[in-house]
Amino acid sequence: MLTLRFRHRREFDDRERVLLADFATAVAVAMRNASLVGDLERRATRLSAVAKVQLAMSRTELHDVYAEIYRAVASSVPQASCFALLLADQGALFRPQLVVVDGIVTWSATLPAVPVTECAASIALETGQPVVSNQPVRSWGALVPGTAEANALASQLASEVAVPMVHGGRTLGVLIVQSRQRGAFTAEDVELLSIIARQAGVAIENARLFGAQRDEREMAEAAARIARAALSSTATADAAAAILSVVADVVPVDGAAIGLLHHSDTVAYIAAIGSARQSLGSRVPLAASIARDVVAPPADLATDEPPADAGRTPLADAALARDGVVLALAAKDRMLGVLAAAAAPGNTLPQSSVDALRRLAPSIALAIDVQLLGEGERHRHARERMLATALATMDQPVFVLALDRRVLYANDAAVREYGYTLDELTTMSVDVLVASAVPTRVSNDSSHTPANVVVAEHVHRRRDGSQFPATVALSFIRQDNGAPIGQVLSVRNLTNERRIAEQLRQSEKLAALGELVAGVAHELNNPLAGISAFAQLLLEEEMTADQRESARLIKREADRAVGVIRDLLLFSRKAGPSTVPVDINGLVQLTLRMRAYSLRSSGV
């Protein structure tokens, strides 16, 4: 209605009446247009908010999704003083992801979890319906630590709206807007917030799926890098160090270490990074280690109380129990060791990091197991090469026999000794080489030969028919359960030993003969000395020429015999080696006198 008032009474003619009626019509049209424009603006704002949330649905990071949801709410409900986005943790806890108080943004890293209690957010979570309240029970801005504005807001709130975020019949969390104005939120605001919340549920779930796929891809890539690190390393310690480098790239940790179980009672730390580097190279009894809770100790080590030296564990038990995680590394039902990770001092490892480490632990265990098996295989091959080299370079024949005495292996010394080629030897029985044998015996003398070694003396035959005496030692090759699977036969040629023994016997005979000659020489020396003396006395008597010649002959031959006996005594005399001047001529003359008779007999 358009009303005009005048100070004085007057009459309106038809022209004025028509003019006023037209003017009222124009005003009505203008007012209606203004109303339509406001409605269009409100619709545009709603569509813009919905578009922002739909834009958030294309985001792959939850952080970006939460930011877009807040921008949508802030642009469509400007009267809100506080905004909170809460995720529900199994219906028992609210985990605030984002709280904005008067434009100041606070993210989840500094926001504590809150129990689900009697408040608008809890009712919306339980019923799945929006809740409008003019008496807010809880100020979500008060969760922001150390903010005066947030604390003041708690006593000034006059209205709030809590809208559940639902996706696929499951309530993910709640959107909260709070205001200092009583009755600040209209039915249109609630409807718009409900639309935003539905779209937010879809966007959050999509971002979670993207995140799960990204995490899955990162875990797969990390597992592949771990496998490559293990395959490219020749030592287990190097592989473990490379694995920890991969873990640090994927999971943010302040320190990490890999310890291997040694002899089932000791944890040996073979690799460490960051704050855990102090544990590198240390060996800790299992009962005193941080691993004792995740690695089952042997029955004789099991105890309810930690030992006295538990405080000397290289990685602080208390710090890891509070701030880190210790995971068992097991492969093929075999316990290998532990993976320990620690957070920075004063912090804790996020659950996402713990979950990532749990997912990587099987890949790490498999890589360590492959590396240990490869290292064991390399050691076994090295031992086999060393054994083969030792057998090949031995100067005595060695055969490896099957249980039926067929030759499986012969070393180079056997090829040289018997004259057969290696291919010929490995196609025959070792009995072909034996010409004769004496009964065998089992050695029980541990000081000379190992127990259960059969020792025997044989006469062996070469390919050319020649024979040689030999002593053989036969021992069995056994499996772990003691069952024999083959034999090892070593042969020692006794030809040289027997020749040396014969020479030794001849030397002993000569020594005995020398002693005998010395004794006989002493027995003969005295009568010869008497003969020579009496012959000299006869030469001093009056005798005929023939008699004197006979006396001289007696004396000369007696003296010659004494000289021979003196040479024999000199020859049989035992003396050690010495470095002295030697008269070569005298030595030769002495030798010639000793050999005079045999030389004359031989015509020399």
Side-chain angles (χ1 to χ4, degrees):
M1 179 179 293
L2 175 63
T3 304
L4 285 84
R5 293 181 180 273
F6 297 88
R7 295 183 180 275
H8 304 288
R9 182 178 183 83
R10 61 171 297 180
E11 296 293 334
F12 294 94
D13 56 20
D14 294 337
R15 185 184 61 82
E16 289 177 330
R17 291 180 182 277
V18 171
L19 180 61
L20 289 175
D22 292 341
F23 187 72
T25 302
V27 172
V29 171
M31 293 180 63
R32 180 171 178 80
N33 288 342
S35 176
L36 291 174
V37 169
D39 185 55
L40 288 174
E41 288 179 348
R42 285 192 296 273
R43 289 186 179 183
T45 301
R46 179 180 300 179
L47 290 174
S48 174
V50 173
K52 285 185 173 65
V53 180
Q54 288 180 338
L55 176 64
M57 292 172 60
S58 64
R59 303 286 188 177
T60 59
E61 296 287 346
L62 281 171
H63 187 280
D64 296 336
V65 170
Y66 298 152
E68 292 292 344
I69 293 172
Y70 165 67
R71 281 193 283 269
V73 172
S75 63
S76 57
V77 189
Q79 65 271 31
S81 302
C82 175
F83 166 82
L85 191 154
L86 315 175
L87 294 184
D89 186 2
Q90 298 180 351
L93 288 175
F94 282 126
R95 295 194 178 275
Q97 303 300 306
L98 177 64
V99 173
V100 183
V101 178
D102 293 332
I104 300 175
V105 178
T106 304
W107 293 96
S108 59
T110 58
L111 297 172
V114 177
V116 174
T117 57
E118 291 299 326
C119 63
S122 302
I123 297 172
L125 178 68
E126 293 173 0
T127 62
Q129 299 294 325
V131 176
V132 181
S133 173
N134 289 322
Q135 292 182 338
V137 176
R138 173 179 286 164
S139 169
W140 296 99
L143 298 178
V144 179
T147 303
E149 293 82 353
N151 295 332
L153 179 66
S155 59
Q156 299 172 2
L157 293 177
S159 58
E160 69 176 340
V161 178
V163 184
M165 295 182 292
V166 180
H167 177 74
R170 183 167 60 94
T171 303
L172 305 180
V174 180
L175 288 182
I176 305 289
V177 289
Q178 297 178 319
S179 176
R180 297 182 178 90
Q181 304 173 17
R182 180 172 295 278
F185 305 111
T186 65
E188 289 184 353
D189 295 332
V190 175
E191 182 182 0
L192 180 58
L193 288 173
S194 299
I195 295 173
I196 293 175
R198 286 195 296 271
Q199 299 294 330
V202 176
I204 290 173
E205 193 64 23
N206 287 344
R208 283 179 173 177
L209 292 176
F210 277 118
Q213 291 177 353
R214 184 176 58 252
D215 292 344
E216 193 70 29
R217 184 176 65 254
E218 289 179 353
M219 291 299 105
E221 292 175 353
R225 291 175 59 190
I226 288 171
R228 288 195 298 269
L231 293 176
S232 61
S233 301
T234 57
T236 305
D238 295 338
I243 288 170
L244 288 182
S245 177
V246 174
V247 170
D249 290 343
V250 178
V251 184
V253 294
D254 188 62
I258 290 179
L260 296 186
L261 196 59
H262 186 66
H263 294 313
S264 300
D265 60 359
T266 305
V267 176
Y269 289 96
I270 62 171
I273 59 173
S275 60
R277 198 177 296 277
Q278 60 182 344
S279 66
L280 183 61
S282 61
R283 291 175 176 266
V284 187
L286 179 60
S289 168
I290 56 173
R292 68 192 303 263
D293 294 330
V294 296
V295 177
D300 55 346
L301 293 179
T303 176
D304 294 332
E305 296 295 332
D309 60 350
R312 295 198 296 272
T313 303
L315 291 175
D317 288 349
L320 279 170
R322 182 178 66 253
D323 302 327
V325 63
V326 181
L327 302 174
L329 298 178
K332 301 175 184 177
D333 298 328
R334 185 165 64 97
M335 188 61 64
L336 302 177
V338 292
L339 168 66
N347 296 327
T348 58
L349 279 180
Q351 187 61 39
S352 58
S353 296
V354 175
D355 293 340
L357 290 173
R358 291 186 189 280
R359 295 173 64 185
L360 288 176
S363 299
I364 295 174
L366 181 59
I368 293 293
D369 187 45
V370 169
Q371 183 64 33
L372 289 174
L373 292 176
E375 198 170 72
E377 190 70 13
R378 287 192 296 272
H379 289 166
R380 186 175 66 82
H381 286 319
R383 288 194 299 269
E384 290 177 352
R385 286 195 299 270
M386 184 183 300
L387 176 61
T389 302
L391 289 176
T393 55
M394 288 180 65
D395 58 357
Q396 295 180 356
V398 177
F399 298 92
V400 176
L401 311 177
L403 292 179
D404 60 359
R405 298 180 65 80
R406 179 171 49 87
V407 176
L408 301 177
Y409 168 83
N411 65 352
D412 293 343
V415 173
R416 292 192 302 270
E417 183 69 68
Y418 291 93
Y420 292 97
T421 66
L422 180 60
D423 292 338
E424 290 173 333
L425 285 173
T426 53
T427 58
M428 63 175 61
S429 171
V430 74
D431 294 331
V432 175
L433 306 176
V434 181
S436 64
V438 298
T440 59
R441 58 187 175 86
V442 177
S443 172
N444 292 320
D445 185 0
S446 60
S447 63
H448 293 85
T449 55
N452 299 325
V453 174
V454 178
V455 180
E457 291 186 1
H458 290 178
V459 175
H460 281 203
R461 182 188 301 109
R462 300 184 179 93
R463 183 175 185 175
D464 59 7
S466 61
Q467 298 181 356
F468 64 91
T471 179
V472 299
L474 182 68
S475 59
F476 284 94
I477 304 172
R478 300 182 183 276
Q479 293 179 327
D480 294 339
N481 59 4
I485 59 174
Q487 298 171 312
V488 176
L489 179 70
S490 63
V491 180
R492 189 171 78 252
N493 191 331
L494 299 180
T495 301
N496 289 334
E497 293 183 17
R498 292 189 177 181
R499 184 174 62 252
I500 293 172
E502 183 63 26
Q503 291 174 353
L504 180 60
R505 285 195 295 272
Q506 291 297 328
S507 298
E508 291 175 350
K509 285 182 181 180
L510 289 175
L513 182 59
E515 292 178 1
L516 178 61
V517 168
V520 172
H522 281 292
E523 292 296 328
L524 294 176
N525 200 36
N526 291 332
L528 287 173
I531 293 172
S532 178
F534 279 109
Q536 181 65 39
L537 290 176
L538 284 175
L539 289 174
E540 294 176 359
E541 296 291 335
E542 293 289 338
M543 291 183 294
T544 65
D546 291 338
Q547 290 175 337
R548 186 173 295 280
E549 182 63 27
S550 297
R552 285 197 199 95
L553 180 61
I554 292 172
K555 180 173 175 53
R556 185 174 63 251
E557 293 301 323
D559 290 341
R560 189 169 70 84
V562 169
V564 171
I565 291 173
R566 188 185 304 113
D567 292 340
L568 286 174
L569 290 174
L570 182 62
F571 172 76
S572 63
R573 183 180 301 153
K574 293 181 179 179
S578 61
T579 305
V580 295
V582 174
D583 181 2
I584 298 298
N585 290 330
L587 184 61
V588 172
Q589 290 169 2
L590 174 61
T591 304
L592 289 176
R593 285 197 303 271
M594 290 286 295
R595 299 289 297 169
Y597 176 76
S598 61
L599 291 174
R600 285 197 305 271
S601 300
S602 300
V604 178

